[in-house]
Amino acid sequence: NPNSGTEPPAAVAAAKEDEGESKDFAEIGVYFKKAGTWAELLPEVINWKTGGFLKSMASAGVVKRDINGNIPGPHSRNSVASPLEFVIRTPEGVSITEYQLLRLHAKDDYREFRLVTGGVFNVKSGAQRDMVPFEGKKIGTRLYSVILPNNLGAGEYGFVLAVATGVAGGAASAATAVGKMYTFRLLE
């Protein structure tokens, strides 16, 4: 009887499953599977650096400036190995499609990625140069499973929420935005 007040078995199972997920992934963030257990990827602060000031000034603003994100330290403190399995708990109102996975370029004492590339008459997202495509499968309320391919290649990577980078607010706000990135170092 549909009016009996009992929940269908599928809804009960989903609610119990979501309760379990909430305990394992209670905080907003990114988690990875390490030695069969889930561990939190600790975020790192992004420092913004703009380039092309002289080109922009010499061209009376026709050539736009570049914006790069820098993260202190040559390597992430989070080391992972294949298979690459992550769970992302998003903030309220945020979808997995608002996250980007970026490959970071190691420098002497920091890692870098390009956010905006300035050109003549236009500014385009430079993140495409460093962006690694991925898909997230919804497994609970604001909870997504991400499995990355085994052929990703050793190096430094990071998940970042696009609005945290200032992309949503345009290139001008990106230079002053405060952001964080959930970084990891993929070992061979």
Side-chain angles (χ1 to χ4, degrees):
N1 179 0
N3 296 325
S4 66
T6 61
E7 292 180 295
V12 172
K16 285 183 181 176
E17 185 177 309
D18 192 43
E19 286 172 11
E21 291 167 353
S22 296
K23 290 176 189 168
D24 291 338
F25 312 110
E27 300 293 323
I28 294 168
V30 179
Y31 302 83
F32 69 104
K33 201 160 209 177
K34 184 174 187 175
T37 61
W38 290 102
E40 185 177 6
L41 275 182
L42 299 174
E44 297 186 72
V45 174
I46 300 169
N47 297 312
W48 299 111
K49 177 180 160 188
T50 59
F53 176 75
L54 292 177
K55 288 189 294 184
S56 183
M57 290 299 291
S59 66
V62 173
V63 176
K64 306 299 181 192
R65 299 173 73 177
D66 298 334
I67 300 175
N68 297 321
N70 290 338
I71 299 171
H75 303 291
S76 173
R77 60 185 160 223
N78 304 301
S79 294
V80 300
S82 293
L84 301 172
E85 190 175 353
F86 297 89
V87 169
I88 299 177
R89 163 80 66 189
T90 65
E92 188 72 39
V94 173
S95 172
I96 191 67
T97 57
E98 296 176 65
Y99 279 81
Q100 294 178 345
L101 175 60
L102 300 174
R103 183 175 184 100
L104 308 177
H105 303 278
K107 305 294 182 183
D108 289 337
D109 59 351
Y110 64 95
R111 290 151 287 149
E112 179 179 75
F113 64 94
R114 170 83 33 95
L115 182 64
V116 174
T117 300
V120 178
F121 301 115
N122 68 346
V123 174
K124 63 181 179 178
S125 170
Q128 292 177 355
R129 169 188 88 161
D130 298 328
M131 197 178 316
V132 178
F134 73 93
E135 290 187 26
K137 178 183 174 191
K138 189 167 187 157
I139 58 172
T141 305
R142 300 180 4 249
L143 205 56
Y144 298 86
S145 170
V146 175
I147 298 175
L148 299 177
N150 289 333
N151 65 351
L152 199 56
E156 301 285 328
Y157 296 88
F159 286 102
V160 65
L161 181 58
V163 293
T165 65
V167 171
S173 66
T176 58
V178 175
K180 63 182 174 182
M181 181 177 277
Y182 298 91
T183 65
F184 62 94
R185 181 180 188 193
L186 177 55
L187 306 172
E188 283 285 343

